[in-house]
């Protein structure tokens, strides 16, 4: 567990959401992830031996088979078509990230509920660290939020889903601490709002429309849940937030106007044109349609001015391009196998669910962050926390 926490924190301190090359810090993070997962579990997954593990939950078997379907046929296809090894690795490593739950959960569940708590804290810390690094490159220009659209910067720190996770999870944790009462807890609750504000303020400053919309949805849903349990506390929190907004010299209205203006100018960011280009390319031959162009394949992407790149901006179009209809079916089977964990978490621990699900919806829906380490770690947290909620429900029953 300590190795995993160290990997996540190191990711937030020194790495980038999408590093263009492998440096010493990325090697160190990889080594820590291997230390966390061990050797036996990854080998069992890659070889298929994990399918024979007695008592494994259904999602594990689905994940093992989906991983094999997404790894081997597109890998063979890509190498056969002459894909560059660097491009192949840029695709295969994110695939491993996407399947981190099947590599890490069986190992981490031995630690019990503290594993989910520790992973959640580490992911929130990574998100805050990314936000701080963005603020530093923005010269700490807090006054620009709502006044003008700020640059994402060269490293795209705010694309990391852990930033949105921290922006949602920390206020909800703050509310949970305040609900338990006590001077010390109230003090900690107020302190947690500071890093949360840094994350949400950064997303507003760079006008990340989907992230901000997801945050509003999460706060509304979690707030409604808390309202039934601690109505005066929620109303007091809402009144304090409203007062802070009114005293912020038009920050909220400015941020909303920036979101509206960006939507007017950019629309869907050529996602539909990008998807059409993928369909046209894979539709050129039966093999491409069935198993894709393979890992490492490039596409003249209209979303980036027609440059030949190895990525698309949505997970579905990306997998269709690289792994075809078979890969797309495997991906959907894998993601659907995780739905029960999400439903259990929504019933058993709604604040955690509303912190985890929005950044995952963003990453797996209309964002490139499906290729990032923290997307796979959020999926891992979803399963771990869902299993904890299921055990608590069974104990209470």
């Amino acid at each position: 567990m300590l190795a995993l926490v160290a990997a996540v924190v190191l990711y937030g301190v020194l790495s980038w959401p999408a590093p263009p090359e492998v440096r010493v810090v990325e090697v160190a993070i990889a080594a820590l992830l291997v230390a966390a997962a061990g050797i036996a579990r990854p080998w069992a997954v890659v070889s298929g031996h994990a399918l024979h593990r007695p008592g494994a939950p259904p999602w594990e078997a689905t994940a093992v088979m989906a991983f094999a379907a997404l790894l081997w046929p597109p890998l063979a296809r890509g190498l056969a078509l002459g894909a560059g090894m660097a491009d192949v690795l840029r695709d295969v490593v994110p695939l491993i990230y996407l399947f981190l739950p099947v590599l890490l959960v069986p190992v981490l569940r031995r630690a019990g509920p503290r594993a989910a708590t520790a992973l959640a804290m580490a992911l929130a810390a990574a998100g805050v660290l990314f936000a701080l690094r963005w603020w530093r490159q923005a010269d700490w220009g807090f006054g620009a939020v709502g006044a003008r659209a700020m640059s994402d910067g060269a490293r795209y720190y705010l694309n990391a889903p852990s930033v949105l996770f921290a922006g949602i999870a920390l206020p909800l944790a703050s509310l949970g601490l305040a609900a338990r009462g006590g001077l010390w807890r109230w003090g900690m609750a107020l302190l947690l709002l500071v890093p949360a504000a840094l994350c949400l303020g950064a997303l507003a400053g760079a006008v990340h429309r989907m992230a901000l919309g997801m945050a509003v949805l999460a706060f509304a849903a979690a707030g409604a849940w808390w309202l039934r349990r601690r109505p005066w506390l929620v109303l007091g929190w809402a009144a304090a937030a409203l007062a802070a907004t009114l005293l912020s010299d038009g920050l909220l209205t400015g941020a909303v106007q920036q979101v509206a203006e960006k939507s007017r100018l950019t629309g869907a960011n050529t996602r539909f044109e990008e998807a059409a280009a993928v369909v046209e390319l894979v539709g050129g031959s039966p093999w491409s349609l069935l198993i894709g162009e393979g890992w490492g394949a490039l596409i003249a992407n209209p979303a980036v001015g027609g440059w030949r790149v190895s990525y698309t901006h949505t997970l579905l179009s990306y997998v269709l391009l690289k792994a075809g209809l078979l890969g797309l079916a495997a991906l959907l089977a894998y993601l659907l196998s995780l739905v029960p964990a999400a439903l259990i978490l929504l019933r058993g621990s709604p604040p955690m669910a509303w912190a985890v699900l929005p950044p995952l919806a963003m990453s797996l829906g209309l964002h490139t962050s499906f290729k990032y380490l923290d997307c796979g770690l959020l999926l891992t947290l979803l399963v771990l926390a869902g299993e904890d909620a299921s055990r608590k429900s069974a104990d209470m029953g």
Side-chain angles (χ1 to χ4, degrees):
M1 190 69 234
L2 288 177
L4 179 60
V5 170
V8 179
V9 173
L10 186 60
Y11 174 60
V13 172
L14 293 176
S15 189
W16 308 325
E21 59 185 13
V22 178
R23 303 169 299 155
V24 173
V25 64
E26 280 74 42
V27 173
I29 291 170
L32 288 167
L33 290 174
V34 170
I39 299 298
R41 180 61 189 177
W43 172 249
V45 171
V46 171
S47 66
H49 185 70
L51 292 172
H52 302 291
R53 193 172 75 85
W59 73 266
E60 282 191 29
T62 304
V64 171
M65 291 186 288
F67 181 68
L70 280 163
L71 176 63
W72 300 117
L75 180 60
R77 173 77 167 163
L79 294 176
L81 293 178
M85 189 55 63
D87 291 322
V88 170
L89 288 176
R90 287 192 187 98
D91 286 337
V92 171
V93 170
L95 176 68
I96 295 171
Y97 289 163
L98 199 61
F99 282 84
L100 280 179
V102 78
L103 299 174
L104 291 175
V105 169
V107 178
L108 296 178
R109 67 163 62 104
R110 302 169 193 161
R114 64 178 182 175
T117 302
L119 181 54
M121 293 174 64
L123 279 166
V128 173
L129 288 165
F130 280 135
L132 285 170
R133 292 166 71 185
W134 180 85
W135 278 115
R136 183 179 63 181
Q137 74 178 16
D139 294 325
W140 310 101
F142 301 117
V145 178
R148 58 179 176 84
M150 303 168 74
S151 171
D152 275 317
R155 306 304 183 200
Y156 296 99
Y157 294 124
L158 301 185
N159 283 0
S162 55
V163 177
L164 177 58
F165 172 75
I168 298 172
L170 293 175
L172 296 185
S174 172
L175 193 58
L177 281 172
R180 294 168 62 187
L183 184 61
W184 179 84
R185 291 191 182 94
W186 269 93
M188 289 297 297
L190 293 173
L191 283 176
L192 286 179
L193 295 178
V194 176
L198 288 171
C199 293
L200 295 173
L203 292 170
V207 199
H208 281 233
R209 296 171 294 166
M210 188 174 184
L212 294 171
M214 288 290 182
V216 171
L217 175 63
F219 290 141
W225 183 81
W226 272 110
L227 189 62
R228 297 195 300 270
R229 288 155 179 79
R230 298 287 193 277
W232 293 110
L233 177 63
V234 175
L235 292 174
W237 231 243
L242 178 61
T245 299
L246 293 175
L247 294 173
S248 65
D249 194 24
L251 184 150
L252 180 60
T253 56
V256 171
Q257 289 171 357
Q258 290 292 328
V259 168
E261 179 64 11
K262 184 173 181 179
S263 298
R264 185 185 69 82
L265 292 174
T266 63
N269 279 342
T270 66
R271 297 293 193 269
F272 296 114
E273 294 87 345
E274 181 181 69
V278 170
V279 171
E280 181 181 359
L281 180 59
V282 299
S285 78
W287 281 111
S288 292
L289 186 61
L290 189 64
I291 60 174
E293 290 290 288
W295 298 128
L298 304 179
I299 183 173
N301 194 331
V304 290
W307 289 3
R308 287 181 59 79
V309 294
S310 65
Y311 62 88
T312 68
H313 290 81
T314 62
L315 177 59
L316 294 182
S317 64
Y318 172 78
V319 171
L320 179 61
L321 169 66
K322 308 285 182 161
L325 292 176
L326 286 180
L328 200 57
L331 172 72
L332 293 176
Y334 168 56
L335 294 179
L336 287 174
S337 75
L338 302 182
V339 169
L343 295 176
I344 291 170
L345 192 60
L346 278 168
R347 291 194 299 266
S349 182
M352 175 66 84
W354 284 111
V356 172
L357 292 176
L360 279 178
M362 181 183 71
S363 295
L364 302 175
L366 297 172
H367 207 272
T368 56
S369 53
F370 62 84
K371 299 184 73 172
Y372 298 170
L373 171 61
D374 35 353
C375 177
L377 292 172
L378 281 167
L379 286 170
T380 302
L381 178 58
L382 171 69
V383 177
L384 276 176
E387 290 185 352
D388 290 342
S390 180
R391 280 194 295 268
K392 288 178 183 177
S393 177
D395 292 342
M396 290 177 65

